[in-house]
């Protein structure tokens, strides 16, 4: 039986809601330019990889022992980074931080710890509903408007109706790239907490945005959990480190359900070493933003509709499902690009595709290939 099959044998006591599902994930096909999973395209600088290698080699003989279960050094290093770069002058301590193997695991841990139903906007990060399902929770979607913007009044009425225990808000949003302004975040967090709910602000792409982090609301809002990751701006997707930032009570609650020793010693050592080079790791963020604007203007000049992005990817449309500009449907175009070595992402929004900002050469290649295809 293939990994993706949904013909499950009767004897397998698989949960009913999983029977029709396939595992989440972007197609792992080889392509010359892989612009589909919102990674940072720049390799780690040599000094950072040497520093990680040195740290790990110094402690290799200790792999007979379990890692620090509470990842104290890594949590302190993350708190220092957040106090220096995310909310300068902040005084977060390691007790305000919970790291795990990528922010997906952090989100799953939150859903395991708290009861009740979950809600969030749509379209948004498709793992949020999947994680809710995996942890046995109902997920209610509140649609964004046709421009992928938030209708604040409608959203707050829906929150009042649904009274979710956990509300997901992603800013900048994936797959649209749009940010939600701070005052609107505050109103949503207040609406959710009025009914006793927690709001998770997923800031996986926060470093690419000019907007301040929702962390500024933490002093006045105990029901807020900000989740960030080292996978995107930090160029550390393979290192698998994401983290929650919240009040100490919230972090203590997460520890009730975390697996013992969930973060390997190697991950912890690598994370601490990488964070000691935060400045160098983030140095390409500016270049990625310049390339994002270049790609957006090129796509516009080719006649596509471009959603303004604050992240390291761009959602663009104008396909024949929606308008007749390009004469191509989004899935046809996706395939034509792949046949020419450029892999982007069909995120399942009719008439739109998402491209991750790559290296300058990859971005130029994408535009050249796109121009060739649509002028065929
Ligand atoms: C909005 C959002 N949140 C979380 C994640 C998960 O990232 P990771 O598990 O690599 O930290 C992603 C990854 O694409 C994302 O787009």
């Amino acid at each position: 039986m293939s990994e993706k099959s949904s013909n499950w044998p009767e004897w397998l006591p698989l949960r009913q809601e999983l029977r029709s599902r396939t595992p989440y994930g972007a197609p792992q096909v080889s392509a010359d330019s892989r612009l589909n999973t919102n990674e940072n395209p720049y390799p780690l600088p040599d000094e950072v990889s040497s520093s990680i290698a040195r740290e790990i080699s110094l402690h290799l003989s200790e792999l007979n022992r379990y890692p620090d279960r509470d990842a104290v050094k890594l949590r302190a290093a993350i708190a220092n980074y957040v106090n220096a770069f995310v909310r300068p002058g902040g005084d977060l301590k390691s007790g305000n931080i919970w790291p795990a193997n990528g922010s997906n695991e952090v989100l799953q841990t939150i859903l395991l710890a708290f009861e009740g139903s979950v809600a969030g906007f749509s379209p948004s990060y498709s793992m949020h509903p999947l994680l809710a399902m995996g942890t046995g929770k109902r997920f209610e979607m509140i649609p964004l408007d046709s421009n992928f913007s938030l209708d604040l009044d409608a959203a707050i009425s829906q929150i009042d109706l649904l009274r979710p225990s956990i509300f997901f808000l992603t800013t900048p949003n994936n797959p649209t790239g749009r940010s939600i302004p701070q005052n609107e975040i505050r109103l949503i967090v207040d609406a959710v907490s009025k009914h006793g709910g927690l709001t998770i602000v997923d800031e996986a792409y926060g470093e690419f945005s000019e907007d301040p982090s929702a962390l500024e609301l933490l002093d006045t809002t105990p029901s807020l959990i900000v989740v960030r990751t080292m996978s995107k701006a930090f160029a550390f997707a393979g290192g698998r480190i994401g983290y929650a930032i919240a009040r100490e009570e919230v972090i203590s609650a997460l520890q009730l359900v975390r697996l013992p020793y969930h973060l390997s010693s190697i991950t912890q050592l690598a994370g601490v070493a990488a964070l000691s080079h935060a400045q160098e790791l983030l140095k390409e963020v500016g270049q990625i933003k310049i390339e994002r604007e270049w790609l957006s203007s090129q796509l516009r000049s080719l006649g596509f509709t471009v959603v303004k992005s604050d992240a390291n990817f761009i959602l663009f449309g104008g396909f024949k499902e929606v308008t007749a500009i390009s004469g191509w449907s989004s899935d046809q175009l996706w395939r034509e690009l792949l046949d020419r070595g450029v892999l982007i992402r069909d995120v399942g929004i009719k008439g739109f595709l998402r491209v991750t900002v790559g290296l300058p050469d990859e971005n130029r290649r994408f535009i050249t290939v796109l121009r060739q295809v649509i002028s065929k």
Side-chain angles (χ1 to χ4, degrees):
M1 186 168 135
S2 93
E3 196 194 29
K4 297 258 175 194
S5 167
S6 54
N7 295 322
W8 300 98
E10 275 309 310
W11 55 265
L12 205 61
L14 188 65
R15 283 164 47 191
Q16 201 52 45
E17 66 272 30
L18 297 182
R19 286 198 169 264
S20 60
R21 319 262 351 169
T22 51
Y24 169 87
Q28 289 196 316
V29 291
S30 62
D32 297 337
S33 300
R34 280 183 15 211
L35 307 175
N36 67 330
T37 51
N38 298 346
E39 292 150 328
N40 184 326
Y42 291 92
L44 291 194
D46 285 347
E47 58 189 303
V48 184
S49 45
S50 311
S51 161
I52 294 172
R54 204 166 39 245
E55 262 316 292
I56 292 177
S57 72
L58 278 175
H59 292 89
L60 275 178
S61 65
E62 294 158 27
L63 284 184
N64 59 319
R65 299 288 177 195
Y66 281 116
D68 174 4
R69 209 175 35 214
D70 295 326
V72 174
K73 286 192 184 134
L74 176 61
R75 289 163 72 194
I78 294 172
N80 285 342
Y81 162 70
V82 175
N83 291 333
F85 290 86
V86 181
R87 192 182 177 201
D91 65 347
L92 293 167
K93 309 278 187 302
S94 51
N96 298 110
I97 308 288
W98 185 250
N101 295 284
S103 52
N104 280 326
E105 190 185 50
V106 175
L107 297 171
Q108 185 183 52
T109 308
I110 299 171
L111 291 169
L112 283 171
F114 301 107
E115 61 183 2
S117 67
V118 187
F121 295 115
S122 173
S124 190
Y125 182 41
S126 54
M127 273 307 291
H128 294 157
L130 289 177
L131 288 165
M133 187 194 62
T135 52
K137 290 177 155 54
R138 211 179 58 239
F139 191 101
E140 306 280 357
M141 308 232 184
I142 301 181
L144 295 172
D145 71 15
S146 54
N147 295 321
F148 308 115
S149 305
L150 184 63
D151 176 343
L152 188 63
D153 292 339
I156 291 179
S157 325
Q158 279 296 301
I159 289 169
D160 285 341
L161 198 72
L162 298 168
R163 303 161 74 95
S165 296
I166 297 173
F167 192 80
F168 277 103
L169 192 158
T170 307
T171 184
N173 192 22
N174 178 12
T176 67
R178 275 198 201 285
S179 293
I180 302 177
Q182 186 91 331
N183 61 322
E184 299 193 3
I185 297 178
R186 179 189 291 278
L187 291 168
I188 290 167
V189 172
D190 287 349
V192 176
S193 74
K194 196 170 77 186
H195 305 292
L198 298 172
T199 302
I200 300 174
V201 180
D202 186 337
E203 294 185 351
Y205 302 94
E207 283 91 351
F208 297 105
S209 164
E210 299 301 321
D211 284 6
S213 165
L215 215 48
E216 307 213 334
L217 307 176
L218 197 60
D219 298 342
T220 51
T221 327
S223 63
L224 178 70
I225 309 177
V226 175
V227 174
R228 298 180 74 108
T229 182
M230 291 176 68
S231 296
K232 310 295 180 180
F234 259 88
F236 210 61
R240 305 306 298 131
I241 297 179
Y243 53 94
I245 313 163
R247 293 282 182 101
E248 282 192 18
E249 301 86 324
V250 174
I251 300 297
S252 302
L254 301 185
Q255 287 171 279
L256 297 173
V257 294
R258 59 108 176 91
L259 291 174
Y261 317 114
H262 70 300
L263 269 182
S264 79
S265 309
I266 291 176
T267 306
Q268 295 187 38
L269 290 164
V272 173
L275 283 158
S276 71
H277 296 274
Q279 193 96 52
E280 292 99 297
L281 278 172
L282 293 172
K283 79 175 192 308
E284 305 297 356
V285 166
Q287 186 58 35
I288 291 171
K289 284 158 69 173
I290 292 171
E291 287 291 310
R292 175 185 73 201
E293 298 314 309
W294 181 81
L295 270 176
S296 300
S297 69
Q298 292 293 313
L299 285 165
R300 271 191 211 99
S301 70
L302 290 176
F304 291 102
T305 313
V306 175
V307 183
K308 185 181 168 344
S309 173
D310 274 339
N312 66 336
F313 54 83
I314 299 161
L315 189 70
F316 65 104
F319 302 103
K320 78 175 180 206
E321 297 98 322
V322 178
T323 71
I325 295 176
S326 72
W328 289 90
S329 67
S330 47
D331 50 344
Q332 279 171 328
L333 186 61
W334 181 85
R335 171 53 58 191
E336 292 283 333
L337 291 171
L338 183 58
D339 290 347
R340 290 162 178 77
V342 179
L343 176 62
I344 63 170
R345 187 81 173 258
D346 182 346
V347 286
I349 305 178
K350 207 168 158 37
F352 284 86
L353 291 171
R354 190 192 71 192
V355 59
T356 304
V357 180
L359 297 169
D361 281 357
E362 294 177 307
N363 302 330
R364 274 140 198 84
R365 186 190 160 126
F366 163 64
I367 292 295
T368 306
V369 168
L370 183 60
R371 190 176 287 123
Q372 283 164 6
V373 171
I374 62 175
S375 58
K376 255 203 334 184

